[in-house]
Amino acid sequence: MGFRSILSCAHLWTADRLHSGDTAIDATVGTGADTLFLARTVGPKGHVFGFDIQEQAIDLAKNRFAGAADQDKLAPVTFFRQSHGDMRNYIPSHFHGHIGAVMFNLGYLPADQADPSVITLTATTISALEVSLDLLRPKGILTVVLYPGHKGGDEEAHAVSEWAAKLPIAIGQAVTYRQLQRATSPYLIAIEKK
């Protein structure tokens, strides 16, 4: 048996910290894989908020949900066609400080006919990460999957790694899960809030 994939590791660490009835955020909906995972994990008494700037991503996620066989076991999801950098403005204030998990899967939308030049941007990502820490409850988790192998992804990955490394331990503990032999392989940063 090999090591877990980056995405399955992010799911495992997140599932260990979420409870039925929790509220969670998918900060980069993409094709909806993390959104569906969060909806299953928090269950029908929970709630998931999903953000993406591309209509195609929201549509792909809604189609994924429509095809799920376990509809009665899923949390309701509210999708926003907005940047993750604007999360604070869209998450109702009574959830601030009470979110169980925020997941980021950076880069570009991996779908047919998607525009690969539309990528997550370093400035909005760092802003969204800071907001995420404010939104999380104590012991909540923030996961970030980074892709340094595409144009712009290397700069973003470096900036996020630097940001996480400088995070005061009094705010949260940051860890990395990464294959060391390939500098361009995707990797995971996770932060558990104190």
Side-chain angles (χ1 to χ4, degrees):
M1 184 173 129
F3 289 111
R4 289 185 173 274
S5 73
I6 298 299
L7 296 176
S8 67
C9 186
H11 287 187
L12 177 70
W13 290 354
T14 301
D16 281 348
R17 287 157 181 85
L18 277 180
H19 311 291
S20 174
D22 272 347
T23 303
I25 298 171
D26 184 351
T28 51
V29 167
T31 63
D34 289 340
T35 322
L36 184 58
F37 157 75
L38 290 169
R40 283 184 171 133
T41 305
V42 302
K45 293 183 180 176
H47 196 93
V48 176
F49 295 100
F51 290 84
D52 208 292
I53 61 168
Q54 297 182 80
E55 180 112 21
Q56 183 182 7
I58 303 292
D59 290 343
L60 286 167
K62 287 180 178 177
N63 288 339
R64 184 182 292 263
F65 272 77
D70 55 349
Q71 296 284 324
D72 60 328
K73 294 184 171 83
L74 302 178
V77 178
T78 304
F79 290 104
F80 296 103
R81 189 170 169 237
Q82 300 292 332
S83 169
H84 54 223
D86 296 325
M87 277 192 291
R88 186 189 311 277
N89 301 328
Y90 291 92
I91 301 297
S93 60
H94 64 277
F95 288 114
H96 293 200
H98 300 284
I99 300 293
V102 183
M103 298 187 80
F104 289 76
N105 195 334
L106 301 176
Y108 54 86
L109 180 61
D112 293 340
Q113 277 101 49
D115 182 352
S117 70
V118 178
I119 61 173
T120 52
L121 302 173
T122 302
T124 53
T125 295
I126 296 295
S127 173
L129 292 170
E130 302 227 347
V131 167
S132 296
L133 286 176
D134 290 340
L135 295 173
L136 282 174
R137 63 170 162 73
K139 302 295 182 195
I141 189 168
L142 165 63
T143 63
V144 190
V145 177
L146 300 136
Y147 297 89
H150 69 87
K151 187 175 180 187
D154 52 347
E155 173 195 323
E156 183 176 50
H158 177 74
V160 171
S161 296
E162 289 287 305
W163 173 84
K166 292 177 182 171
L167 189 69
I169 206 90
I171 292 174
Q173 179 182 11
V175 296
T176 301
Y177 181 70
R178 181 176 201 168
Q179 181 185 355
L180 296 175
Q181 295 97 332
R182 288 181 40 220
T184 60
S185 63
Y187 64 100
L188 169 65
I189 291 177
I191 298 168
E192 183 178 61
K193 186 174 178 179
K194 290 283 186 182

